[in-house]
């Protein structure tokens, strides 16, 4: 019986804390994306500008690791029985990637465009057979082009 | 892009010449013998020329009129451009045959799917005998389709009609669940 | 090419349904499956157990040899109890088992029927015995369990459940342990009915062996003074409220016209446990 009560308490804690953190993060993401919307990140290689005006080019990287809260883990475990979309993890990955791209853009201050952006995702944390105690790491890297007068 | 034209003959005559004369004129114009010309009249409509530029098209049109026949000139619609609402995906740097007019930055779509215990049990059994895990193949196919669909929806919101340089990435984020992620650059082509 | 800075309005990469709703739906699904398996198992076990032959059961008894091996079965008091059992088996309690008594040092007043005809008596129980009749009743109660093959039924069901939950969730998952625990809780209900049946068997045996049923409820009366109802009511206890049991035994005795006569005392050896060898 105690086990059930502890479980419910942890799930509630995970849900409440998790949703607060998530909402806060999304608001931050949206604000920063709006601020950085004038710096495009694209994943093609061709130079969209005349090579002559490129003053400097530099690789920029942004990464972040986001942890899973208990509520999401329980949901994923239950979902594993029935199959289908694991909706609880979707927001996690969305946040991680957007954050990684934003950090990459923030590292490329002064650039006109970031080309050949690539994204890598991996899981960090205990990867023993039954533990879902993984965190998601997202990394974005690309080449920032700074244009202007020599 | 230059537009191209098709020339189609429906078997109609201008009416200025009798049929036999028209046939003779056409045979001289198109450099075909009498039998071939008769067939031309028999199986209308016939495509005389599949793709010619505008100048040649008008030359043929007037030549046909002089011979006493009517030839239809039809513009070839560009079938490289996406139809209304559809989005083209390529994983090269452009959409071949079109030019990129503007770009909108990165778009991405992701989905996470878990397998259910039935598939799990089947997979364990297959581990004994080997062979394709059709259940998983189908699962990942559905995931891929959904990820691409989400990416397209995001691109559509930005006003794009194509996504170039599409890349995929798969990772396992939860026990028994796989995440499929696709990203590309949203562009508008013309 | 030019760049048009624009951000998407809706986020298509997440689902906008409430996760709490999803939690309830999935939990309800799991509970439904568990209940379904439980009910199916109940039928299956009740159907299979009568078919388990005694030879198979003796093999299962080997599983418990670790426990029974540690018990005393050659001391004078053990031999005395064994002799009682043999007497009962010959005349009054005909069960198809060869009953073996094992006594283990344990303060708790309890007796357990194990597969293969082994009865495990805790020394704490023996210390509380006031008369031979009382002890005889306890033994015959355990005989009742053997007769109904109760020890196999509860055992079998829990085992299958643990196996299924291990297969579905893995041996160490939180959800799996929770389910196994809750099955354990409902299994106690299962054995309440069995205990009552064993009570009735015990009292009939007592009447047969001694000609009267005095002493049958002594043990329970002692227990009831010590016991208090668990805060969750008697659902969580393995033995139904002792008072209810006493009432049931007395009523049963009255219905069947069993009398109460002089009780037979126990040999002194029983009380002086630490001094006898």
């Amino acid at each position: 019986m105690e086990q059930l009560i502890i479980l419910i308490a942890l799930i509630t804690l995970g849900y409440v804390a998790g949703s607060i953190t998530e909402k806060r993060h999304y608001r931050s993401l949206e604000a920063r994306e709006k601020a950085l919307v004038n710096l495009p990140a694209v994943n093609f290689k061709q130079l969209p500008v005349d090579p002559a005006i490129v003053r400097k080019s530099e690789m920029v990287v942004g990464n972040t690791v986001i942890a899973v809260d208990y509520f999401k883990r329980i949901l994923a475990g239950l979902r594993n029985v029935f199959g289908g979309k694991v909706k609880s993890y979707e927001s996690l990955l969305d946040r991680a990637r957007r954050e990684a791209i934003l950090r990459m853009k923030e590292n490329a201050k002064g650039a006109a465009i970031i080309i050949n952006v690539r994204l890598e995702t991996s899981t960090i944390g205990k990867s023993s057979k039954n533990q879902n105690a993984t965190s998601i790491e997202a990394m974005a890297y690309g080449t920032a082009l700074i244009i202007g007068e020599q | 892009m230059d537009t191209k034209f098709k020339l189609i003959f429906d078997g109609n005559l201008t009416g200025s010449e009798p049929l036999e004369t028209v046939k003779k004129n056409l045979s001289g114009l198109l450099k075909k013998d009498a039998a071939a010309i008769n067939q031309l009249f028999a199986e209308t409509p016939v495509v005389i020329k599949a793709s010619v530029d505008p100048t040649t098209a008008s030359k043929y049109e007037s030549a046909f009129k002089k011979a006493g026949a009517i030839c239809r000139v039809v513009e070839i619609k560009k079938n490289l451009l996406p139809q209304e609402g559809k989005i083209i995906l390529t994983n090269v740097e452009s959409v071949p045959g079109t030019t990129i007019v503007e770009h909108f930055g990165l778009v991405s779509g992701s989905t996470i799917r878990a397998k259910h215990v039935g598939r799990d049990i089947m997979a364990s059994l297959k581990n004994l005998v080997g062979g394709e895990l059709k259940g998983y193949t189908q699962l990942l196919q559905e995931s891929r389709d959904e990820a691409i669909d989400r990416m397209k929806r995001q691109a559509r919101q930005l006003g794009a009609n194509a996504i170039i340089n599409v890349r995929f990435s798969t990772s396992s984020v939860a026990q028994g669940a796989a995440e499929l992620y696709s990203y590309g650059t949203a562009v508008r082509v013309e | 090419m030019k760049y048009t800075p624009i951000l998407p309005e809706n986020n298509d990469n997440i689902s906008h349904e409430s996760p709490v709703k999803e939690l309830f739906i999935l939990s309800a699904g799991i509970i439904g499956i568990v209940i379904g398996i439980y009910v199916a198992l109940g039928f299956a076990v009740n159907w299979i157990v009568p078919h388990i032959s005694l030879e198979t059961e003796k093999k299962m008894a080997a599983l418990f040899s670790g426990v029974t091996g540690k018990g005393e079965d050659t001391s004078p008091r053990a031999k005395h109890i064994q002799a009682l059992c043999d007497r009962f088996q010959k005349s009054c309690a005909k069960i198809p088992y060869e009953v073996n008594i094992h006594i283990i040092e344990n303060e708790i007043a309890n007796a357990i029927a194990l597969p293969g005809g082994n009865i495990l008596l805790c020394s704490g129980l023996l210390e509380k015995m006031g008369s031979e009749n009382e002890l005889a009743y306890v033994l015959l109660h355990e005989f009742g369990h053997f007769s109904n093959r109760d020890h196999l039924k509860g055992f079998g069901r829990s085992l299958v459940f643990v196996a299924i939950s291990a297969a579905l969730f893995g041996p160490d998952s939180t959800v799996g342990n929770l389910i196994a625990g809750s099955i354990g809780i409902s299994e106690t209900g299962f054995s309440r009915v069995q205990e009552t049946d064993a009570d009735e068997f015990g009292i009939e045996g007592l009447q047969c062996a001694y000609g009267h049923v005095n002493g049958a409820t002594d043990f329970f009366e002692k227990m009831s003074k010590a016991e208090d109802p668990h805060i969750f009511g008697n659902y969580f206890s393995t033995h139904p409220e002792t008072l209810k049991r006493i009432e049931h035994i007395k009523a049963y005795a009255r219905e069947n016209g069993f009398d109460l006569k002089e009780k037979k005392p126990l040999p002194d050896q029983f009380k002086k446990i630490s001094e006898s060898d």
Side-chain angles (χ1 to χ4, degrees):
Chain A
M1 199 60 201
E2 296 83 44
Q3 217 185 16
L4 183 65
I5 293 178
I6 291 177
L7 185 70
I8 293 183
L10 283 178
I11 290 181
T12 320
L13 175 71
Y15 178 62
V16 169
S19 345
I20 292 177
T21 315
E22 196 167 288
K23 286 205 180 61
R24 215 172 343 135
H25 195 196
Y26 268 120
R27 261 183 274 142
S28 153
L29 282 173
E30 277 161 21
R32 280 149 67 202
E33 273 175 358
K34 225 188 264 196
L36 284 169
V37 77
N38 287 311
L39 170 58
V42 290
N43 80 333
F44 52 76
K45 295 190 183 87
Q46 65 202 28
L47 287 183
V49 296
D50 185 4
I53 65 170
V54 175
R55 180 152 56 94
K56 194 165 89 154
S57 64
E58 184 180 17
M59 188 174 87
V60 285
V61 184
N63 80 328
T64 178
V65 181
I66 307 231
V68 184
D69 64 58
Y70 200 67
F71 181 71
K72 292 203 205 307
R73 270 167 54 190
I74 294 287
L75 263 185
L78 287 177
R79 183 50 83 180
N80 216 349
V81 176
F82 296 106
K85 280 198 286 193
V86 185
K87 297 182 192 139
S88 55
Y89 272 58
E90 283 175 354
S91 66
L92 206 64
L93 283 154
D94 184 46
R95 278 161 58 199
R97 293 208 183 91
R98 283 163 74 172
E99 180 70 40
I101 294 180
L102 276 173
R103 287 192 185 171
M104 179 184 69
K105 285 191 183 180
E106 279 162 9
N107 283 337
K109 277 273 152 63
I113 187 170
I114 309 179
I115 59 174
N116 209 8
V117 172
R118 293 187 188 175
L119 281 139
E120 302 287 329
T121 319
S122 57
T123 50
I124 308 255
K126 258 201 274 206
S127 49
S128 65
K129 206 160 165 269
N130 276 312
Q131 291 285 28
N132 283 348
T134 50
S135 333
I136 316 276
E137 191 232 1
M139 180 175 77
Y141 57 104
T143 307
L145 300 176
I146 301 176
I147 64 177
E149 309 302 319
Q150 284 290 356
Chain B
M1 298 288 304
D2 302 323
T3 39
K4 297 279 191 209
F5 293 89
K6 280 200 280 210
L7 300 174
I8 302 179
F9 180 58
D10 297 307
N12 297 329
L13 309 174
T14 51
S16 52
E17 310 266 347
L19 182 59
E20 285 312 309
T21 331
V22 177
K23 280 193 186 171
K24 221 163 41 166
N25 291 341
L26 282 179
S27 132
L29 174 66
L30 298 172
K31 312 245 180 331
K32 291 200 161 80
D33 63 354
I37 297 295
N38 281 331
Q39 208 164 15
L40 203 69
F41 275 85
E43 299 168 8
T44 50
V46 177
V47 175
I48 307 285
K49 288 283 179 204
S51 173
V52 292
D53 56 86
T55 352
T56 327
S58 44
K59 258 201 263 187
Y60 264 95
E61 199 180 3
S62 30
F64 259 71
K65 227 187 278 188
K66 229 171 57 183
I70 300 178
C71 130
R72 221 167 10 114
V73 177
V74 177
E75 187 182 321
I76 297 178
K77 287 270 191 299
K78 195 76 36 125
N79 60 0
L80 293 169
L81 284 183
Q83 296 159 14
E84 198 53 54
K86 288 236 189 304
I87 296 194
I88 297 185
L89 301 177
T90 65
N91 79 335
V92 288
E93 302 262 316
S94 58
V95 181
T98 65
T99 36
I100 300 176
V101 171
E102 61 181 320
H103 72 92
F104 305 95
L106 279 173
V107 286
S108 63
S110 78
T111 177
I112 306 157
R113 272 183 196 249
K115 53 178 174 39
H116 54 74
V117 283
R119 286 202 226 257
D120 214 2
I121 294 172
M122 285 311 294
S124 319
L125 292 177
K126 266 280 164 70
N127 268 334
L128 294 172
V129 298
E132 185 189 357
L133 291 171
K134 292 215 174 60
Y136 282 145
T137 308
Q138 194 201 3
L139 174 73
L140 287 170
Q141 182 63 43
E142 286 171 8
S143 307
R144 217 181 343 268
D145 291 340
E146 172 148 15
I148 291 179
D149 192 53
R150 283 184 166 176
M151 186 174 64
K152 283 188 186 173
R153 266 191 273 156
Q154 197 177 35
R156 212 171 275 132
Q157 279 187 59
L158 304 177
N161 63 3
I163 307 178
I164 59 173
N165 229 343
V166 173
R167 298 214 175 133
F168 288 100
S169 147
T170 314
S171 50
S172 119
V173 296
Q175 203 228 343
E179 187 240 354
L180 221 115
Y181 177 60
S182 67
Y183 61 104
T185 312
V187 297
R188 195 162 64 82
V189 297
E190 268 172 18
Chain C
M1 69 187 90
K2 77 174 169 84
Y3 170 60
T4 311
I6 177 173
L7 290 170
E9 271 178 28
N10 307 320
N11 190 350
D12 280 314
N13 281 330
I14 58 176
S15 305
H16 300 281
E17 298 161 14
S18 159
V20 183
K21 192 174 93 167
E22 194 186 346
L23 182 68
F24 279 131
I25 293 178
L26 290 176
S27 307
I30 299 255
I31 292 175
I33 291 180
V34 167
I35 292 179
I37 296 181
Y38 188 76
V39 169
L41 259 186
F43 290 125
V45 167
N46 283 339
W47 180 76
I48 289 176
V49 160
H51 296 285
I52 295 180
S53 69
L54 288 170
E55 287 83 48
T56 323
E57 199 182 327
K58 284 210 180 64
K59 290 190 197 131
M60 285 165 66
L63 289 174
F64 293 89
S65 61
V67 178
T68 55
K70 292 206 196 88
E72 27 167 300
D73 36 10
T74 49
S75 67
R77 60 178 177 171
K79 286 207 180 110
H80 184 93
I81 302 178
Q82 183 75 52
L84 273 180
C85 286
D86 296 338
R87 219 181 75 202
F88 295 146
Q89 275 207 279
K90 280 204 190 67
S91 52
C92 289
K94 291 222 167 37
I95 54 175
Y97 288 97
E98 207 184 277
V99 175
N100 293 310
I101 299 292
H102 306 272
I103 303 177
I104 55 174
E105 281 299 321
N106 198 323
E107 289 173 357
I108 304 178
N110 206 350
I112 307 167
L114 294 175
N118 296 303
I119 295 183
L120 218 57
L121 293 171
C122 299
S123 59
L125 181 85
L126 294 178
E127 279 169 29
K128 291 202 166 59
M129 290 289 114
S131 65
E132 193 180 285
N133 305 59
E134 203 178 330
L135 179 61
Y137 174 76
V138 169
L139 293 170
L140 287 163
H141 173 98
E142 298 303 324
F143 279 36
H145 280 311
F146 280 133
S147 163
N148 298 331
R149 307 194 86 187
D150 292 341
H151 52 302
L152 288 179
K153 286 180 188 162
F155 183 69
R157 213 160 162 168
S158 315
L159 198 65
V160 179
F161 242 111
V162 168
I164 290 186
S165 101
L168 274 186
F169 299 106
D172 258 318
S173 92
T174 329
V175 187
N177 281 342
L178 194 66
I179 290 186
S182 52
I183 297 308
I185 288 173
S186 55
E187 283 301 307
T188 64
F190 199 62
S191 62
R192 248 200 333 247
V193 173
Q194 291 167 323
E195 293 286 2
T196 314
D197 285 343
D199 280 340
E200 291 177 5
F201 185 95
I203 205 169
E204 284 176 10
L206 202 63
Q207 171 73 17
C208 160
Y210 292 93
H212 67 97
V213 295
N214 202 355
T217 55
D218 288 352
F219 181 57
F220 294 115
E221 275 159 22
K222 287 176 197 158
M223 288 287 287
S224 75
K225 291 196 182 66
E227 200 179 80
D228 64 287
H230 202 276
I231 42 169
F232 283 108
N234 67 10
Y235 185 65
F236 288 97
S237 57
T238 6
H239 288 68
E241 266 176 25
T242 319
L243 289 173
K244 285 211 187 109
R245 276 178 94 174
I246 298 172
E247 283 312 311
H248 178 80
I249 292 172
K250 287 193 173 148
Y252 193 75
R254 270 194 302 272
E255 284 166 31
N256 289 290
F258 297 154
D259 317 306
L260 298 171
K261 292 205 198 105
E262 181 78 26
K263 286 185 273 196
K264 238 180 113 179
L266 282 167
D268 286 331
Q269 291 164 313
F270 273 75
K271 299 297 160 110
K272 304 186 195 104
I273 290 163
S274 50
E275 284 158 37
S276 68
D277 57 330

